[in-house]
Amino acid sequence: MITTNPFDDDKLREECGIFGVSNGETASAIVALGLHALQHRGQEAAGITSWDGQDFHTHRAMGHVAGNFDRDEVIRALPGMSACGHVRYSTTGETSLRNVQPLYAELNSGGFAIAHNGNISNAMKVRRELIRRGSIFQSTSDTEVIIHLVATSSYRTLLDKFIDALKQVEGAYSLIVMTTEGMIACRDPLGIRPLVMGKLGEAIIFASETVAFDVVGADYVRSIDPGELVIVTNDGQIRSHRPFGETHARPCIFEHVYFSRPDSIIDNSSVYSVRKAIGAQLAIENPVDADYVIPVPDSGVPAAIGYAQQSGIPFELGIIRSHYIGRTFIQPGDKVRHLGVKLKHNANRALIEGKKIVLIDDSIVRGTTSLKIVQMMREAGAAEVHMRIASPPTKHSCFYGVDTPERTKLLAHKLDVGGMQDFIHADSLSFISIDGLYKALGEAKRADIRPQYCDACFTGDYPTKLTDQDDAAVTNQFELLAERVV
């Protein structure tokens, strides 16, 4: 079986989505609805854990939220006024039920459930040390490291144990934790991954994106600040802790480019408006003589609108997407496999035949997507095919919770822009500049001394240590040396 979407196999895979409800009626049902809204952040598996004041209840399943959490009997088996949930696309750990979150453990202080969006970049090193000290792991997920650090901490209170654990990990994390004392929501000191707080009646809600609040009818309150821990006690009190001191935030810039839904608000900015501004800046930097501006659906649409408005070139739907095709399709041979590509997307031949078109996409990863799109336009009779990309070239891998291919598989790492243009067979290819991207986000330019975002996938400027990657690199060097010696 292969994916029927020819454009899904060459995108950066979003890490995960998390959603939590504290002190709310039918909490698990609200969480299920919230996870529906966050499904784009992870389609591999989903899970919900609830607490009824005495016991914790968990249901985890492979696949989408729909079909797993839209049955009354499932929700009834998750009672209580507090619940948290998770949608997953694995970036660390194997694809199996034991890695589906929320992860749950019985600690000395009581039940402890955790849902994590991000990636712990020193998880392997910490895991090895914990195992050496006697910890027994039940999953291969980096998230479980946090549970063991909490369990083995010498601090007295659960909050202090949790803070102690967080101070031992590196990387990116937005977390929702449920304990018998209440719910904790926190964000790493750099705020790499997003997390927001809302309110629904008397219930306090946390989510990866504000769009989840819209779906459940909650009001957006604010973003959780980088390095902040927000605690909601069982009696509804809200406390904020900032155990890491003042930090220079570096939220992920790709949330604005691609990951987040366009109807979300990230750090008080409309994602849709930002993407239109990116498209407009792209038109200023990289104009082209064309008859139509055509988005690569669906992620390229807002930037294409911005490009069209700025350039004065008409916006048209030159690629039509079917929304009624399942995720997979049995492909018995190469010929049928090629035909299966058009089940999901098809060229609007009557529009583009004989026309010069400019295609707008959010990014180029391996380049296979762009190659297919350009070929599709050529076969439909386009006179010229130009591509404009609403992000700088993706030259570096992400280690903060995004499933990026190895750097050697990134087209922009292997080729310059001219080589990439030849590879995808476009008449021209251009990307927005890094300074242009910052300008579209409201910054004058990227400050090399203190950049406002994590843009490591474009610049290679990683804002944290990459302990596991560095250790692996050293190990590989020793292995290569040993091979030479032998």
Side-chain angles (χ1 to χ4, degrees):
M1 302 177 91
I2 69 166
T3 177
T4 59
N5 186 346
F7 307 148
D8 279 353
D9 61 354
D10 191 30
K11 294 291 185 182
L12 297 182
R13 302 288 186 173
E14 178 50 296
E15 56 293 333
C16 297
I18 57 177
F19 190 95
V21 176
S22 179
N23 301 309
E25 297 289 342
T26 62
S28 60
I30 298 172
V31 171
L33 289 172
L35 293 181
H36 272 287
L38 300 175
Q39 187 74 83
H40 61 286
R41 299 184 73 91
Q43 297 88 46
E44 183 179 274
I48 296 176
T49 297
S50 69
W51 186 61
D52 63 8
Q54 183 174 357
D55 298 314
F56 286 83
H57 309 269
T58 296
H59 182 76
R60 300 182 297 165
M62 305 302 296
H64 290 186
V65 179
N68 285 312
F69 291 95
D70 53 2
R71 302 191 306 273
D72 289 341
E73 63 269 23
V74 173
I75 298 302
R76 285 197 301 268
L78 296 167
M81 296 183 65
S82 293
C84 66
H86 187 272
V87 288
R88 180 177 192 258
Y89 182 86
S90 62
T91 57
T92 64
E94 63 189 13
T95 300
S96 66
L97 191 59
R98 66 174 176 160
N99 286 330
V100 179
Q101 298 186 32
L103 298 182
Y104 175 78
E106 287 284 349
L107 307 184
N108 186 52
S109 57
F112 186 94
I114 183 170
H116 172 205
N117 171 208
N119 189 55
I120 306 301
S121 58
N122 66 335
M124 292 305 298
K125 182 176 182 179
V126 174
R127 182 188 180 100
R128 287 194 296 267
E129 176 60 23
L130 286 165
I131 291 174
R132 189 187 66 80
R133 287 158 43 190
S135 291
I136 301 173
F137 280 76
Q138 300 298 311
S139 76
T140 58
S141 170
D142 62 324
T143 309
E144 192 178 356
V145 163
I146 298 174
I147 296 177
H148 288 273
L149 289 173
V150 173
T152 58
S153 174
S154 60
Y155 283 83
R156 186 177 62 86
T157 69
L158 178 60
L159 177 60
D160 287 337
K161 289 175 182 287
F162 184 57
I163 293 172
D164 179 42
L166 295 183
K167 288 184 176 181
Q168 296 179 65
V169 299
E170 304 166 359
Y173 55 82
S174 285
L175 304 171
I176 296 175
V177 174
M178 285 202 313
T179 74
T180 56
E181 299 177 16
M183 181 172 286
I184 305 172
C186 69
R187 208 172 165 195
D188 68 73
L190 298 180
I192 298 175
R193 302 264 68 89
L195 190 62
V196 290
M197 181 169 67
K199 192 169 185 181
L200 179 62
E202 297 301 313
I204 299 299
I205 300 180
F206 301 100
S208 294
E209 294 184 39
T210 60
V211 66
F213 297 157
D214 298 336
V215 169
V216 302
D219 294 322
Y220 168 63
V221 175
R222 66 178 178 89
S223 292
I224 305 302
D225 290 334
E228 181 185 17
L229 278 72
V230 175
I231 301 169
V232 184
T233 61
N234 293 329
D235 60 2
Q237 296 184 48
I238 302 174
R239 301 197 306 269
S240 175
H241 294 261
R242 300 174 187 270
F244 301 103
E246 186 175 351
T247 59
H248 173 60
R250 295 280 299 275
C252 173
I253 202 168
F254 220 82
E255 291 283 351
H256 293 280
V257 174
Y258 173 68
F259 292 144
S260 296
R261 266 181 46 164
D263 44 346
S264 282
I265 305 294
I266 298 291
D267 294 326
N268 298 317
S269 295
S270 161
V271 175
Y272 178 77
S273 296
V274 167
R275 289 179 186 168
K276 283 182 61 180
I278 292 173
Q281 183 64 29
L282 181 62
I284 293 171
E285 293 183 356
N286 301 292
V288 63
D289 178 21
D291 297 305
Y292 298 130
V293 174
I294 293 175
V296 177
D298 287 322
S299 57
V301 172
I305 294 173
Y307 192 102
Q309 291 176 346
Q310 177 65 41
S311 65
I313 302 172
F315 171 95
E316 294 287 355
L317 297 179
I319 303 172
I320 306 302
R321 176 183 176 184
S322 171
H323 295 267
Y324 304 101
I325 302 299
R327 179 175 173 79
T328 57
F329 184 82
I330 297 173
Q331 306 284 355
D334 289 340
K335 183 176 181 180
V336 177
R337 181 179 294 110
H338 176 72
L339 294 175
V341 166
K342 297 184 178 180
L343 286 173
K344 195 86 174 204
H345 293 82
N346 193 39
N348 188 354
R349 178 181 292 271
L351 173 76
I352 65 177
E353 189 168 13
K355 296 296 191 292
K356 296 183 290 184
I357 62 172
V358 52
L359 292 165
I360 309 295
D361 205 356
D362 57 85
S363 61
I364 291 181
V365 183
R366 294 180 180 88
T368 54
T369 289
S370 301
L371 180 62
K372 292 174 185 177
I373 297 169
V374 172
Q375 180 183 2
M376 182 185 295
M377 298 296 99
R378 300 279 193 205
E379 292 175 351
E384 294 180 12
V385 182
H386 304 270
M387 285 209 74
R388 297 294 181 265
I389 308 300
S391 63
T394 304
K395 297 181 178 181
H396 305 270
S397 298
C398 176
F399 302 104
Y400 300 121
V402 178
D403 185 34
T404 316
E406 295 176 7
R407 189 181 180 192
T408 56
K409 296 181 180 179
L410 296 171
L411 192 65
H413 171 71
K414 298 184 290 186
L415 301 171
D416 61 14
V417 175
M420 296 173 73
Q421 176 182 324
D422 292 340
F423 177 84
I424 66 174
H425 303 308
D427 290 288
S428 71
L429 170 67
S430 297
F431 297 78
I432 193 171
S433 68
I434 189 67
D435 283 346
L437 181 57
Y438 270 77
K439 185 174 182 179
L441 285 159
E443 306 292 336
K445 62 181 296 185
R446 184 187 193 273
D448 291 330
I449 298 176
R450 290 175 65 88
Q452 302 301 306
Y453 295 92
C454 175
D455 51 24
C457 54
F458 308 133
T459 65
D461 179 11
Y462 295 98
T464 74
K465 294 179 181 178
L466 300 175
T467 298
D468 290 344
Q469 291 298 317
D470 294 339
D471 288 351
V474 171
T475 299
N476 289 337
Q477 288 177 355
F478 276 114
E479 289 176 349
L480 289 172
L481 180 61
E483 288 176 2
R484 293 192 186 104
V485 171
V486 171

